[in-house]
Amino acid sequence: MKRVGVFLCWCGSNIAGTVDVGKVAEQARRLPGVVHVEENKYTCSEPGQAAIVKAIKDQRLDRVVVASCSPRLHEATFRRTVESAGLNPYFFEMANVREHCSWIHTDKETATPKAFDLVRMAVAKALRNEALTRGSITIEKRALVIGAGIAGIQAALDIADAGHEVILLEREPTIGGRMAQLDKTFPTLDCSQCILTPKMVDAAKHPNITLYTWSELEKVAGYIGNFTVTIRRKARGVDETLCTGCGVCQSKCPVKVPSEFDEGMGMRKAIYSPFPQAVPNRPVMDRANCTFFKTGKCKICERFCEAKAIRFDQEDSLIEVKVGAIVTATGFDLFKVEKYGEYGYGLYPDVINSLQFERLVNASGPTDGKIKKPSDHEIPKSVAFVLCVGSRDEQKGTTYCSRACCMYSIKHAIQFRDKVKDGRAYVFYMDIRTPGKSYEEFYKRAAVDYGVEFIRGRPSKIFSRNGKLVLKAEDTLLGRPIEVEVEMVVLAPAMLARNDAAKIAQTMSISYDGYGFLNEAHPKLRPVETNTAGIFLAGVCQGPKDIPDTVAQASAAASKVIGLLSHEQMATEPMIARVSEALCSGCLWCKPICPYQAIEAKTITEKIQGKVVSREVAAVNSGLCQGCGACTVACRDGAMNISGFTNDQLLAEVDELLGASRPACAAE
Amino acid sequence: MPNLKSPLLVSGGPEKRVFLGEVDAMAATHVAACYQCGKCSGGCPLSFAMDYQPRQIMRLVQMGLADEALASNTIWVCATCYTCTSRCPRDIDIAGVMDALRFMARRRGFRPGDRNVGVFHRSFLNGVKRFGRSHELMLFVEYKLGTMRLTEDLPLGAKMLAKNKMAILPEITKGRAEIAALFRESARGAEKGGDKL
Amino acid sequence: MSGQSVRYSYYPGCSLHSTAREYNVSVRAVAQAAGVELVEVPDWNCCGATSAHATDPFLAFALPARVLLQAEESGLDILAPCAACYGRLMTAKEEAHRRPDLVARFEKAIGRKLGPAPRILNVLEFLAEPKVTETIAAGLKRPLTDLKVAPYYGCLLVRPSKVTHFDDAERPTSMDKILASVGATPVDFPGKTECCGASLGISRVDLVVELSGRIVQQAKHAGAEAIAVACPLCQTNLDGRQGTAAAKLGEAFGLPIYYITELVALALGVAPGRLGLGKHLTNSLALLRQKKLA
């Protein structure tokens, strides 16, 4: 006879406020098999756990049910507790009376019986729980980092410094990402390139880092410790091993197109390296704009390339790598400010966005750091910086705050005032948000030391009058309409998830939110993990953030990876599919349904009435199976079961709830 | 009063923020630092009697709206109790700004936004100029004549006289020549663009 | 108590010679009881008060600066019982460091050099000086037992704290301690450092009635039987305007407004008759008689 102990948690008032725990305890005592019931204010606390251990010993319990919170929160905790008392941890069963009952109900009269239902179901299952043993898998001691902006570079360097191999993947021709486009960084105003390029070079030269630029993620298969990743190396048009990076090809190329890296503020060639400090220092061929690919003639680059590295016939290639962990650092896109027709972007050339301003103010940018109006290349004497273009706008943009715009726009205003001494800088804002170290001080310096003028109010329209741009707004602090005439306007666009973020997420089977930002496993306690084991997040792909937060998150993700890769083996949950070969009819309907390719056919031989017979049955690869349960649903024979969630165990819960005593014949 | 309906035009021209600079220099503070939290107005014991809240005065100074700030009654109703100054999270000497604005208003010929307060201060300083010390009875009379509020407060004045709290004859500082020299220097400084003191 | 006499320079200011004569009397009475000699600043002038600093930045500095200059020769610390005078002297002292331009203009106009300013004491600091505290500690002739007094600090003793460096701008306690030391019960109330309307006393009576009325009301509602002040302007406003305010608010106040020195002097045994308490507009003797203190 099984001896079940039931432990009812109050969770302070989280449960006890809505459920009459005493009453549930009283009823639980009468359940078959239950020999011990006790309540605890916080079962997860040290004394709460000690009470379980004590009861297991004193009452000789062999099954334990805790009715408390979600198994996601404390199942692992209580399994350890039970194990420490000498019981198999899978003899433990959890009833979720918090998330599934007390938190979603207000009426004690109805919540209490429901809580008891959940408890008796758990007891019914616990009576059928079996001892299970964890397996182990070998860990591939290599990591993949997707995206080589500052987040990816930082994560890659941290992991590589810890002695593990890293594959750093970047789809642009160079690593460096957004930060490489910036001039100075707030609040210290140190030069972005100066602090970034050494890291770029370190990443390229690190013996443990393999760099794949101009390459994209194609496919991810496998699971934590054993991912198989397919990478598409896009045709560069250049043999990287022969190219010396001399730059002659791009200087000779006759084609000029707007530079993506310069956000259209400057031009590039059809064979190009985005900027002089690009890593690797190897150009790529832009086939869409290349004269040869358009007309079949030109090849000037090839003619001048002394290294003979130009390859017009190069094709994309696919490579496969095995990694144990993945860091996703895919960055962000900017809100298209032209969606605000009232702001005249696209209509007035001197209305630009903040990243364009970064290129204008950048010493190595297309204007050599001179802030010049795109319209006439004159230096503007007045600039308005408009915050929240797309942020905090439910109609035209996104609902959230993009977090970095206040600070970088203040920085822009400071840079403008610094470069144009008699110029005037206006910042139109709704709230100035400066939640970082030395940020508020930076804001005050802008107002006091740099004379930046702050106007609280979202401009409603930007229009042209007598050759000036007029921002029509309300000074909400004065409570009166205001029109500010300036020569240039800089719009601070919202940070958006990459437009293909959903595709990336689906490729890796990780979840994403309504905006396309990748979801962390827990917003507070697991901020860099995803819900898919072995895949981690760094940087703005998870949500808008500035450089310090991005770097911190990248190092956090790296530390998780390092922790994982520091083991040779890792324990696997025993809750995976198993086949009852006796019942399996070998139809193999389960095989195509398995998302992990974990099921194969297997031939078995058995003696039936003295005759040796061979037949085909399904076989589960315990290394690949993730215990999702899809096969058990597909199995017509009831031969497929997930250990710990067998048909028998689940039906016992259902029967308990329905009050039916299951006929023996159904219990196959 | 300004026409509140017409938009405030900011030319964005390269001119310096002159008014803000003058006020900052006189009050030895930085009005540009004001982020308009309103704590000054919230704590001001006299805000209920002001046409512009102290916060709004700071904003007028930031935006260079000198005429409005100098014509306001706020700067005259302010009793310089320093509650605002002592609580300002941006460490702006708001009461000092009020002093500066009053002074500028006088120098630039603005009629005090509160006539009685203006007459009082003038009468008070006249007395000091004359005797070196304040003489309440003469101040009272001069103020009454200046404002033509002859009957207001007479009962209190009478009581104070009866209780010998107001001397009939003034006390006089012997070094009156020095006091006169200080008043002359004040006037001279004002003529030489005293705003920039 | 040592027999040796301690001397202070004394700057009564205009009010203590007119509207606040009784304040002058009580300050001197306390000094006498404590064996302290007060030496009046020779040929002092008005500090300029609010009117100067409100309208004339040069005079705002120059008038109190001349007072400091007049006091220089004695080399003594200056006691300035009027909170407004104290504020102006402290400001001038601070500006003398910060504004050499003002100092130069002042010295040129007056033909004399301004030396380093001495220590300037307000009345609460004076009452906390060793001689006075020793006298109080040595024994009270008439402890103010059962007298519930709200200490009212007003503005200029504690603000701006960068100038006065005295007590706490929001929750001062120095007067509370003095009241307790003479046997009275200090009554904490939210109006402790609210403004009474100060110099608007004549020009905007309506505002002063409003402000002073609120302060007296808060003290009364907090259970005070009287208010102690350390400023002639505060006394005049709270004392002279509470009748009108009470009528406006439909309440009866009748709260005597004592100078803190009057209460200390009483406790040290000075006869009430000598203090000129009859000069107060709100009856100040009845409460003392009721408490058997007069």
Side-chain angles (χ1 to χ4, degrees):
Chain A
M1 188 65 194
K2 307 266 167 47
R3 296 178 63 81
V4 183
V6 176
F7 299 84
L8 301 163
C9 183
W10 287 28
C11 196
S13 63
N14 276 302
I15 293 169
T18 319
V19 169
D20 183 344
V21 182
K23 196 167 172 190
V24 175
E26 194 182 301
Q27 291 173 311
R29 275 191 193 92
R30 296 199 286 268
L31 288 170
V34 172
V35 297
H36 177 80
V37 177
E38 72 176 86
E39 297 172 42
N40 213 304
K41 204 159 185 187
Y42 293 100
T43 312
C44 61
S45 67
E46 209 179 317
Q49 294 189 48
I52 295 176
V53 173
K54 185 172 187 298
I56 290 171
K57 291 189 172 149
D58 293 353
Q59 304 291 327
R60 290 174 289 112
L61 302 179
D62 56 10
R63 296 290 186 279
V64 170
V65 171
V66 172
S68 58
C69 50
S70 164
R72 292 195 71 98
L73 193 64
H74 276 315
E75 188 173 58
T77 313
F78 293 127
R79 279 201 184 132
R80 277 195 300 272
T81 311
V82 168
E83 197 170 18
S84 74
L87 277 190
N88 184 288
Y90 298 92
F91 284 151
F92 166 75
E93 193 60 40
M94 199 158 180
N96 184 353
V97 294
R98 195 179 72 175
E99 282 83 342
H100 287 177
C101 185
S102 69
W103 272 359
I104 51 168
H105 298 298
T106 48
D107 177 12
K108 217 170 191 170
E109 292 299 305
T110 49
T112 302
K114 177 173 171 182
F116 177 63
D117 286 347
L118 294 168
V119 169
R120 64 193 173 93
M121 286 162 71
V123 170
K125 176 163 184 281
L127 286 170
R128 289 168 166 79
N129 277 2
E130 302 155 343
L132 299 173
T133 320
R134 293 187 185 96
S136 72
I137 49 170
T138 307
I139 292 170
E140 194 73 54
K141 294 192 152 210
R142 189 181 300 110
L144 169 71
V145 177
I146 307 168
I150 182 58
I153 291 173
Q154 182 68 40
L157 285 173
D158 286 355
I159 298 166
D161 283 345
H164 304 295
E165 279 181 52
V166 180
I167 291 157
L168 182 54
L169 184 62
E170 171 57 55
R171 69 170 158 196
E172 297 298 328
T174 174
I175 63 172
R178 295 290 185 199
M179 192 174 165
Q181 293 179 282
L182 309 182
D183 181 40
K184 288 183 172 164
T185 54
F186 61 78
T188 45
L189 290 179
D190 44 2
C191 154
S192 183
Q193 291 248 337
C194 311
I195 56 179
L196 176 67
T197 38
K199 279 189 184 286
M200 289 164 62
V201 174
D202 286 353
K205 292 198 166 158
H206 204 294
N208 284 341
I209 298 179
T210 308
L211 206 58
Y212 292 125
T213 56
W214 203 239
S215 301
E216 297 201 41
L217 182 72
E218 190 80 8
K219 193 178 150 200
V220 176
Y223 49 92
I224 181 169
N226 291 277
F227 292 106
T228 304
V229 179
T230 311
I231 292 168
R232 172 177 296 274
R233 304 209 63 198
K234 294 182 284 186
R236 203 171 188 111
V238 172
D239 185 329
E240 287 179 75
T241 56
L242 294 177
C243 174
T244 60
C246 71
V248 167
C249 54
Q250 38 187 333
S251 67
K252 296 295 178 186
C253 175
V255 179
K256 273 189 175 181
V257 290
S259 156
E260 295 85 357
F261 184 79
D262 284 334
E263 299 292 327
M265 295 283 101
M267 307 298 275
R268 65 157 171 85
K269 298 297 184 62
I271 184 162
Y272 70 103
S273 203
F275 59 101
Q277 301 94 327
V279 171
N281 182 20
R282 299 285 182 272
V284 295
M285 196 181 282
D286 168 14
R287 292 184 176 185
N289 287 300
C290 173
T291 310
F292 174 75
F293 281 96
K294 278 175 162 170
T295 66
K297 291 196 183 108
C298 184
K299 291 200 173 183
I300 291 175
C301 50
E302 190 179 47
R303 199 158 5 116
F304 282 94
C305 178
E306 288 187 12
K308 306 277 175 241
I310 306 292
R311 295 285 180 275
F312 289 98
D313 57 352
Q314 201 177 48
E315 284 181 11
D316 290 5
S317 61
L318 295 179
I319 55 169
E320 206 171 78
V321 293
K322 288 211 157 267
V323 296
I326 300 174
V327 175
T328 311
T330 47
F332 64 101
D333 285 332
L334 287 181
F335 175 76
K336 298 257 180 286
V337 293
E338 50 268 44
K339 284 190 183 166
Y340 282 59
E342 63 272 40
Y343 284 178
Y345 183 90
L347 177 63
Y348 307 119
D350 296 337
V351 177
I352 62 173
N353 73 31
S354 299
L355 204 50
Q356 291 176 318
F357 186 84
E358 284 288 350
R359 297 311 301 153
L360 286 186
V361 79
N362 194 308
S364 58
T367 57
D368 296 325
K370 291 201 174 59
I371 300 166
K372 290 179 178 172
K373 285 183 279 175
S375 62
D376 57 7
H377 305 290
E378 293 291 319
I379 290 171
K381 293 293 182 189
S382 50
V383 182
F385 298 89
V386 180
L387 293 173
C388 292
V389 181
S391 300
R392 305 172 73 194
D393 181 340
E394 293 179 20
Q395 187 182 159
K396 298 193 171 181
T398 63
T399 52
Y400 55 80
C401 161
S402 293
R403 277 185 67 184
C405 331
C406 284
M407 285 300 292
Y408 71 62
S409 293
I410 290 170
K411 181 200 70 171
H412 288 165
I414 285 178
Q415 286 178 295
F416 172 70
R417 287 279 296 155
D418 202 34
K419 294 200 173 194
V420 185
K421 296 291 180 208
D422 59 346
R424 299 186 70 166
Y426 303 92
V427 176
F428 286 84
Y429 68 99
M430 296 200 292
D431 302 291
I432 293 290
R433 297 183 169 177
T434 57
K437 209 170 175 179
S438 302
Y439 287 12
E440 181 68 13
E441 294 86 337
F442 188 70
Y443 166 37
K444 186 175 173 182
R445 263 168 62 205
V448 176
D449 299 346
Y450 290 91
V452 174
E453 295 166 65
F454 289 87
I455 298 172
R456 188 180 180 280
R458 234 187 224 269
S460 192
K461 188 178 169 75
I462 297 169
F463 61 96
S464 165
R465 184 168 67 200
N466 304 329
K468 293 279 185 69
L469 293 163
V470 181
L471 294 100
K472 195 173 177 306
E474 185 197 352
D475 184 324
T476 60
L477 298 168
L478 285 174
R480 77 177 70 163
I482 184 170
E483 289 183 359
V484 178
E485 284 184 0
V486 296
E487 295 177 19
M488 190 159 104
V489 175
V490 181
L491 307 175
M495 278 193 226
L496 303 181
R498 287 281 188 198
N499 59 17
D500 59 351
K503 199 184 128 220
I504 295 169
Q506 285 157 13
T507 304
M508 290 189 292
S509 308
I510 57 178
S511 65
Y512 53 98
D513 67 17
Y515 304 107
F517 290 116
L518 306 178
N519 281 339
E520 65 280 8
H522 188 280
K524 284 115 190 162
L525 301 180
R526 298 177 66 200
V528 299
E529 292 116 304
T530 65
N531 273 331
T532 303
I535 300 183
F536 305 93
L537 302 174
V540 184
C541 66
Q542 179 260 340
K545 56 181 67 66
D546 57 18
I547 294 171
D549 286 359
T550 293
V551 171
Q553 197 185 21
S555 286
S559 80
K560 290 284 170 189
V561 171
I562 295 164
L564 174 61
L565 300 189
S566 67
H567 297 98
E568 302 296 327
Q569 304 265 318
M570 68 174 286
T572 55
E573 279 298 333
M575 278 110 133
I576 56 171
R578 65 169 186 234
V579 186
S580 163
E581 290 174 356
L583 292 175
C584 179
S585 64
C587 73
L588 291 170
W589 276 26
C590 51
K591 190 172 179 254
I593 278 174
C594 175
Y596 304 98
Q597 288 86 46
I599 299 176
E600 294 293 339
K602 175 176 111 174
T603 305
I604 55 167
T605 37
E606 53 191 357
K607 253 187 190 161
I608 296 174
Q609 295 171 340
K611 271 167 65 181
V612 177
V613 180
S614 285
R615 64 182 180 100
E616 224 173 35
V617 294
V620 176
N621 179 325
S622 63
L624 294 175
C625 176
Q626 295 293 292
C628 74
C631 55
T632 63
V633 182
C635 182
R636 303 178 303 175
D637 311 316
M640 201 63 100
N641 274 289
I642 298 288
S643 300
F645 291 95
T646 64
N647 292 338
D648 179 50
Q649 289 164 342
L650 296 181
L651 287 172
E653 289 194 85
V654 175
D655 290 339
E656 177 62 41
L657 181 64
L658 299 177
S661 183
R662 196 146 44 99
C665 63
E668 302 164 314
Chain B
M1 285 299 288
N3 179 358
L4 294 177
K5 297 241 167 67
S6 67
L8 171 63
L9 288 174
V10 179
S11 77
E15 75 271 17
K16 290 232 176 70
R17 292 205 276 174
V18 177
F19 183 54
L20 173 69
E22 286 170 351
V23 173
D24 275 3
M26 282 191 62
T29 196
H30 292 295
V31 175
C34 172
Y35 52 30
Q36 297 276 293
C37 68
K39 199 174 182 190
C40 49
S41 313
C44 176
L46 287 154
S47 59
F48 69 94
M50 293 172 169
D51 51 4
Y52 290 91
Q53 295 295 295
R55 170 189 70 77
Q56 293 173 305
I57 295 288
M58 298 301 114
R59 187 64 185 153
L60 292 175
V61 173
Q62 285 183 337
M63 297 300 282
L65 299 169
D67 289 359
E68 277 181 56
L70 298 179
S72 70
N73 87 348
T74 301
I75 59 178
W76 298 97
V77 167
C78 163
T80 12
C81 71
Y82 294 105
T83 304
C84 48
T85 295
S86 71
R87 288 182 189 160
C88 175
R90 286 288 206 181
D91 201 17
I92 300 165
D93 183 3
I94 299 159
V97 170
M98 296 294 175
D99 274 353
L101 294 174
R102 272 189 293 262
F103 176 62
M104 289 165 86
R106 223 189 78 190
R107 290 289 194 249
R108 295 185 186 185
F110 279 81
R111 187 174 297 172
D114 189 300
R115 183 159 172 271
N116 295 347
V117 177
V119 172
F120 173 81
H121 290 322
R122 197 185 64 216
S123 309
F124 186 95
L125 287 179
N126 279 344
V128 177
K129 190 175 176 182
R130 217 172 283 137
F131 306 120
R133 294 185 189 176
S134 168
H135 180 230
E136 263 92 358
L137 184 59
M138 182 121 10
L139 167 61
F140 202 62
V141 170
E142 186 172 340
Y143 168 76
K144 291 278 157 212
L145 291 173
T147 54
M148 296 308 285
R149 296 168 79 91
L150 297 179
T151 52
E152 185 193 74
D153 239 11
L154 277 186
L156 185 72
K159 264 191 242 171
M160 304 221 3
L161 265 177
K163 290 197 179 254
N164 193 20
K165 287 178 87 101
M166 275 203 266
I168 305 292
L169 293 176
E171 288 186 7
I172 299 176
T173 303
K174 291 193 208 77
R176 261 183 304 165
E178 287 186 341
I179 303 294
L182 295 177
F183 273 85
R184 273 198 307 278
E185 173 56 27
S186 160
R188 197 186 60 80
E191 275 160 26
K192 283 175 52 190
D195 281 7
K196 303 231 167 55
L197 262 173
Chain C
M1 260 204 300
S2 75
Q4 207 184 341
S5 162
V6 173
R7 301 168 78 218
Y8 290 87
S9 193
Y10 183 55
Y11 177 57
C14 308
S15 297
L16 272 75
H17 277 207
S18 57
T19 51
R21 283 170 200 281
E22 69 275 27
Y23 191 14
N24 193 27
V25 169
S26 61
V27 173
R28 287 183 171 284
V30 172
Q32 195 185 16
V36 169
E37 188 186 340
L38 299 180
V39 184
E40 197 154 313
V41 174
D43 195 37
W44 54 265
N45 54 274
C46 171
C47 70
T50 307
S51 294
H53 84 78
T55 57
D56 192 322
F58 177 69
L59 289 178
F61 169 74
L63 292 171
R66 184 182 177 275
V67 175
L68 294 176
L69 189 58
Q70 291 298 104
E72 247 177 50
E73 201 181 324
S74 73
L76 300 173
D77 294 351
I78 306 180
L79 166 61
C82 166
C85 294
Y86 165 75
R88 295 317 308 160
L89 292 185
M90 291 295 283
T91 305
K93 182 176 171 178
E94 186 259 339
E95 279 187 328
H97 289 291
R98 191 164 55 79
R99 298 287 304 270
D101 55 323
L102 286 179
V103 175
R105 286 178 65 194
F106 170 80
E107 290 177 343
K108 192 160 169 257
I110 209 164
R112 291 194 280 160
K113 288 275 173 208
L114 188 62
R119 179 172 169 234
I120 301 161
L121 287 84
N122 63 47
V123 83
L124 298 179
E125 288 173 309
F126 174 69
L127 294 175
E129 287 284 277
K131 270 291 206 183
V132 182
T133 52
E134 281 164 19
T135 310
I136 291 170
L140 298 171
K141 303 249 163 48
R142 198 189 286 121
L144 308 180
T145 320
D146 289 342
L147 193 63
K148 296 197 222 21
V149 186
Y152 173 67
Y153 297 78
C155 310
L156 300 174
L157 291 177
V158 291
R159 285 192 301 263
S161 53
K162 275 185 188 167
V163 169
T164 65
H165 305 288
F166 173 67
D167 209 331
D168 183 285
E170 300 292 347
R171 304 189 62 182
T173 51
S174 47
M175 205 192 312
D176 298 58
K177 285 175 198 151
I178 293 163
L179 285 170
S181 74
V182 295
T185 308
V187 178
D188 195 25
F189 75 117
K192 255 183 173 181
T193 60
E194 291 292 320
C195 177
C196 69
S199 63
L200 299 171
I202 291 176
S203 49
R204 288 298 301 267
V205 175
D206 55 333
L207 302 181
V208 173
V209 167
E210 177 79 28
L211 266 54
S212 295
R214 264 187 242 157
I215 292 162
V216 176
Q217 185 184 42
Q218 285 179 343
K220 176 101 181 172
H221 290 182
E225 298 164 311
I227 296 176
V229 297
C231 170
L233 228 52
C234 299
Q235 203 282 339
T236 307
N237 284 337
L238 298 189
D239 189 24
R241 303 300 181 187
Q242 65 169 275
T244 319
K248 225 181 118 194
L249 294 165
E251 293 185 40
F253 292 154
L255 243 62
I257 314 295
Y258 300 110
Y259 288 107
I260 181 69
T261 41
E262 291 174 338
L263 295 176
V264 174
L266 274 175
L268 291 179
V270 178
R274 268 189 58 204
L275 291 171
L277 293 172
K279 287 190 184 297
H280 296 181
L281 299 175
T282 307
N283 190 333
S284 297
L285 284 163
L287 177 67
L288 297 180
R289 290 202 189 98
Q290 184 198 323
K291 301 278 177 182
K292 310 231 180 318
L293 296 168

